[in-house]
Amino acid sequence: MASRLEINFIRLLSRCESIASDKRGETEWRLEKYVAALEEMLVALRKAPSKPTPEILTEYTRKVGFLKGLLEAEKLSSPAEKALANQFLAPGRTATIENERMSATKTVHMQTQARCTGEMRAELFSTNSPQKGTMENELRNRRGLPVDERQSAAELDAVLQHHHNLQEKLADDMLNLARNLKNNTLAAQNIIRQDNQTLNQSMRQADLNFEKLKTESERLEQHTKKSVNWLLWLMLILVSFTFISMILFIRIFPRLR
């Protein structure tokens, strides 16, 4: 049975997921306050006597971390930075409440990615944006500048482009690193699974060998007991025969006078 604290935590988590899935305005402050309350309740859940299982606590931590990362990503200014930050968010794997077909954090994650992609597309392909007019004005102003200043502006553009390329390369490297880490983790899981199977087979073979050794030990013990009995009877017969032979010898050959 879930404790009262866990029930309240699930209700607040479901409410946060519902708020995150809706389109929020700039004046929306509830989600940030609710996520802070979720973090406090999660710490209390870990210390509670009747705390949930480690798997459930891990899932709760994943969902709270996702909501916290979502809030931090929304504070970024550039749509490209938002999209990159959302790619590294890890939504929950299971549904928070029973009537959900799919985890609400997964739905929020897909909605946020689609929203960031739309913002990036609108920023790139917009024809009447203020930024384009500003860039055109800057280009016109640069044409009227002296050669040294235009060269400095060109160098500045080259530096900015270089930094932009470095950021893209860093993002690609991080994605490749995450992909390689996932592949290595799967390979390690397969190796551990095979080692467990080999260990189980070795343990079963050891049990069979122990049973065989126990059976052979019992047979050897019985054989040893039988051998001792026959040897004892043989010694008794030999002693008896020797004694009777001595008596007969004394009777047949009396002592010489």
Side-chain angles (χ1 to χ4, degrees):
M1 293 292 293
S3 62
R4 186 66 181 176
L5 179 61
E6 185 177 0
I7 293 174
N8 293 334
F9 176 84
I10 293 173
R11 290 177 178 174
L12 184 57
L13 178 60
S14 177
R15 179 59 179 165
C16 290
E17 291 173 349
S18 176
I19 295 175
S21 62
D22 297 333
K23 187 176 181 181
R24 303 182 305 279
E26 296 180 356
T27 58
E28 180 62 49
W29 55 269
R30 292 178 300 171
L31 184 59
E32 188 172 357
K33 298 293 183 182
Y34 289 171
V35 171
L38 279 176
E39 291 180 342
E40 296 177 357
M41 295 175 70
L42 185 60
V43 173
L45 268 179
R46 292 195 183 99
K47 298 179 181 179
S50 58
K51 60 182 180 181
T53 60
E55 293 79 7
I56 297 177
L57 281 175
T58 302
E59 184 68 15
Y60 289 162
T61 305
R62 181 189 295 269
K63 291 183 178 182
V64 175
F66 171 78
L67 293 173
K68 186 176 179 181
L70 185 66
L71 290 174
E72 293 176 355
E74 289 181 351
K75 294 178 182 179
L76 299 174
S77 58
S78 174
E81 294 177 352
K82 291 182 181 180
L84 182 61
N86 278 291
Q87 286 181 358
F88 292 100
L89 294 179
R93 298 176 180 175
T94 59
T96 305
I97 55 179
E98 296 180 355
N99 59 355
E100 291 179 349
R101 295 183 178 179
M102 185 175 62
S103 175
T105 51
K106 288 184 179 180
T107 306
V108 173
H109 192 213
M110 291 186 292
Q111 291 177 351
T112 306
Q113 286 182 339
R115 189 183 307 118
C116 293
T117 304
E119 291 178 359
M120 290 176 61
R121 187 180 295 109
E123 183 181 10
L124 291 174
F125 297 102
S126 178
T127 56
N128 297 321
S129 61
Q131 293 181 356
K132 184 176 180 181
T134 304
M135 292 176 63
E136 291 177 353
N137 292 330
E138 290 179 356
L139 290 174
R140 293 193 188 97
N141 293 329
R142 287 179 186 177
R143 292 191 186 98
L145 292 174
V147 178
D148 294 337
E149 294 184 3
R150 280 186 289 176
Q151 185 176 2
S152 300
E155 292 176 355
L156 179 61
D157 291 339
V159 171
L160 293 175
Q161 184 65 30
H162 177 67
H163 283 290
H164 181 69
N165 294 334
L166 287 178
Q167 290 179 357
E168 290 183 350
K169 183 179 179 182
L170 180 61
D172 293 337
D173 292 340
M174 292 178 67
L175 289 175
N176 292 329
L177 181 62
R179 191 179 296 109
N180 293 332
L181 181 62
K182 181 180 179 181
N183 294 331
N184 293 335
T185 303
L186 293 176
Q189 288 179 355
N190 293 330
I191 292 173
I192 293 173
R193 191 179 298 110
Q194 292 176 2
D195 291 342
N196 289 333
Q197 292 177 358
T198 305
L199 181 61
N200 292 332
Q201 292 177 359
S202 300
M203 292 178 64
R204 286 195 295 268
Q205 187 65 32
D207 293 336
L208 292 175
N209 293 336
F210 179 75
E211 293 295 334
K212 291 181 180 179
L213 181 62
K214 184 177 180 181
T215 304
E216 295 297 331
S217 299
E218 293 176 354
R219 291 179 59 186
L220 181 60
E221 185 178 358
Q222 294 176 359
H223 182 70
T224 304
K225 289 180 180 179
K226 291 180 180 179
S227 300
V228 170
N229 292 334
W230 282 107
L231 183 61
L232 180 62
W233 283 106
L234 182 61
M235 291 179 64
L236 288 175
I237 292 172
L238 183 59
V239 170
S240 301
F241 179 75
T242 304
F243 180 74
I244 294 171
S245 299
M246 291 294 294
I247 297 297
L248 291 176
F249 182 78
I250 293 172
R251 293 294 183 182
I252 295 173
F253 302 99
R255 186 177 57 179
L256 297 177
R257 294 180 180 179

